[in-house]
Amino acid sequence: MSAATQRFANIAARRAAGERSGITSVCSAHPLVIEATLRRGAARRADVLIEATCNQVNHEGGYTGMTPPDFRRFVEARAQKVGFSVDRLILGGDHLGPNPWKHMAAATAMNKAGAMIDAFASAGFTKMHLDTSMACADDPAVLADETIAARAAELAAIAEAAVERAGGGKLVYIIGTEVPVPGGALEALDHLHVTAPDDALRTVEIHHRAFSRAGLEAAFARAIGVVVQPGVEFGNTEIVPYAPAKATELVAVLDRMPQFVFEAHSTDYQPAEALNALVRDGFAILKVGPWLTFALREALYGLSHIADVLAPDPSRESLPAAMERIMLASPDNWQKYHPGTPEEQRVQRHFSFSDRIRYYWPTPEAQRATQKLLDVLGEKDIPRPLISQYLGQLDAEVAEGQVKPLAHDLLIGSVTRVLDIYADATGQ
């Protein structure tokens, strides 16, 4: 187990000792988000946890086209570029289970999930979130808890064997799931419920039994986190902030399972005080993804407006116009998430908190459109008044010399602003 993974594995013990113990889990495959994350880690000499979801990256390529070894090389290449030591890097796999193949029969889907987790473990990923909660084509609509736990143990056995075969470091496991499944909320948020304390305890108990039956006691001893719903979520236009009073009973059960902290998903867009309260209450692993690419999209669109001012060209397609064309041509990644009239859908495609546009940045057309924008702006200083007008959130940082008035630096700075909020909350 690497030193960074060992520090991560001790997160519950550090919290029990009274230390403010938390870590940001960056769930993104966008090169600029990864670069910003690693630059910040290098500057602060902090451990960095980067995770790939089962839909983004898997043994078949995922929507990014990357396998786990590809993703590791992708991250490590950027680490070398910015001077970040890979000794401080923790790579994780998120929602590892049959979700990408749940339209298939369970046996087939689980075989594919097994091949996927084998690929993650063999490639040196050390944080594994086991999520087998979704029903497959021939399953009942709602899986029994025992079935979920047995399938998780099945995947853990494959991961442990892969590490043994590859001679890699010991794995750390996260168990449990949360609603919604990976990809984002489809329903209204007015019925959001905090996980019941007994359900959290039962998740641990049932997974422990399943691991024991599979001869995986040593692996379960390295399970350090339980995914629960602390009462936070976001949708297209809504943000549900953390309300500590509603989670008091859930937080109290951590005293009865000292091996664990809670992992909180969908913490994007939470106010700084809410993130601080989450870490204080034991939600020590804070997942963030869409907020980072949302901040990046804000900066890209701001730069597109700036380019129109500095280098007006009526024949040049703006970045928002290019992204609109790309998303309309391939609606699968936004259509079912954005209800309403055509006009409402148009606004949501670009500006929704759910940030479905993030699925389009990896496409060749979007990459070309982005590069054309950056080529227009080049390496020239952008005047402060234009930064104030179109990138106002970064004006103070530019004025203080923390961010250079260059296109690339402004993009990195926009993502870093969000990472700084999480760093303050987690104590990194």
Side-chain angles (χ1 to χ4, degrees):
M1 189 179 290
S2 70
T5 301
Q6 185 63 63
R7 285 190 290 272
F8 175 63
N10 291 335
I11 196 167
R14 297 205 312 271
R15 178 177 182 270
E19 182 180 337
R20 186 171 188 82
S21 181
I23 192 167
T24 307
S25 171
V26 172
C27 299
S28 179
H30 196 290
L32 289 171
V33 171
I34 299 299
E35 180 181 339
T37 301
L38 295 171
R39 282 188 182 279
R40 196 194 178 286
R44 302 295 181 94
R45 297 182 181 177
D47 292 341
V48 166
L49 169 58
I50 296 174
E51 300 204 49
T53 70
C54 60
N55 293 324
Q56 279 177 331
V57 174
N58 57 53
H59 64 297
E60 296 178 347
Y63 72 76
T64 63
M66 285 189 282
T67 64
D70 293 334
F71 187 79
R72 179 175 182 171
R73 287 190 290 270
F74 158 72
V75 173
E76 291 186 345
R78 277 148 186 81
Q80 183 176 21
K81 174 184 174 183
V82 305
F84 177 80
S85 171
V86 294
D87 292 340
R88 285 192 169 274
L89 177 64
I90 306 162
L91 290 176
D94 195 27
H95 292 287
L96 298 184
N99 188 68
W101 308 282
K102 63 186 177 184
H103 59 285
M104 301 178 179
T108 303
M110 282 298 294
N111 281 338
K112 287 182 174 290
M116 173 177 64
I117 201 166
D118 183 286
F120 272 96
S122 299
F125 289 65
T126 54
K127 177 186 182 289
M128 303 288 176
H129 171 214
L130 304 172
D131 180 7
T132 56
S133 60
M134 58 290 303
C136 298
D138 57 348
D139 281 328
V142 179
L143 294 182
D145 291 342
E146 290 77 9
T147 301
I148 294 170
R151 290 178 179 178
E154 178 184 338
L155 295 182
I158 294 171
E160 291 288 303
V163 167
E164 185 70 24
R165 185 179 67 247
K170 297 294 186 183
L171 303 176
V172 174
Y173 292 99
I174 308 296
I175 59 174
T177 186
E178 104 284 11
V179 177
V181 296
L186 288 171
E187 63 281 336
L189 304 182
D190 55 1
H191 60 282
L192 190 65
H193 296 294
V194 174
T195 299
D198 288 346
D199 289 346
L201 290 166
R202 178 174 166 79
T203 293
V204 171
E205 178 186 346
I206 291 177
H207 277 76
H208 191 186
R209 288 204 301 264
F211 274 60
S212 295
R213 283 194 296 268
L216 296 170
E217 283 281 3
F220 190 80
R222 286 181 264 111
I224 64 164
V226 185
V227 178
V228 293
Q229 174 51 271
V232 304
E233 190 53 86
F234 61 91
N236 287 318
T237 61
E238 301 170 274
I239 300 167
V240 180
Y242 179 54
K246 295 181 179 180
T248 301
E249 293 181 1
L250 174 60
V251 169
V253 304
L254 282 175
D255 292 337
R256 298 166 62 184
M257 45 187 203
Q259 178 179 339
F260 294 92
V261 294
F262 289 137
E263 178 170 286
H265 291 212
S266 300
T267 69
D268 305 73
Y269 314 107
Q270 289 289 305
E273 60 271 19
L275 293 174
N276 274 276
L278 281 164
V279 174
R280 178 201 66 207
D281 290 348
F283 301 92
I285 306 168
L286 300 180
K287 292 292 191 78
V288 60
W291 193 3
L292 301 173
T293 42
F294 182 94
L296 181 66
R297 192 270 313 150
E298 284 186 314
L300 282 167
Y301 278 19
L303 290 174
S304 184
H305 287 298
I306 289 170
D308 289 340
V309 174
L310 293 180
D313 181 353
S315 68
R316 185 178 65 238
E317 185 179 40
S318 71
L319 184 60
M323 295 308 294
E324 174 74 349
R325 174 173 52 78
I326 292 165
M327 288 188 286
L328 286 176
S330 302
D332 288 352
N333 283 316
W334 63 262
Q335 201 163 46
K336 69 179 180 179
Y337 292 88
H338 296 329
T341 66
E343 180 58 24
E344 289 170 335
Q345 288 181 319
R346 182 187 65 79
V347 173
Q348 290 175 26
R349 276 194 295 275
H350 295 272
F351 305 109
S352 166
F353 285 135
S354 68
D355 194 52
R356 301 300 300 179
I357 196 173
R358 71 186 185 275
Y359 290 90
Y360 295 88
W361 295 119
T363 66
E365 274 198 282
Q367 291 183 42
R368 284 194 294 270
T370 302
Q371 190 57 52
K372 284 181 181 178
L373 168 62
L374 297 179
D375 288 344
V376 169
L377 295 170
E379 292 294 320
K380 297 177 182 178
D381 283 1
I382 295 172
R384 274 279 312 282
L386 291 181
I387 292 172
S388 176
Q389 176 68 38
Y390 296 110
L391 295 170
Q393 71 274 20
L394 292 172
D395 186 53
E397 285 90 340
V398 172
E400 294 168 5
Q402 297 174 13
V403 176
K404 294 180 181 178
L406 303 172
H408 179 268
D409 293 72
L410 291 164
L411 294 174
I412 296 298
S414 189
V415 176
T416 301
R417 286 185 71 252
V418 179
L419 293 171
D420 283 344
I421 297 170
Y422 278 83
D424 288 346
T426 58
Q428 284 183 285

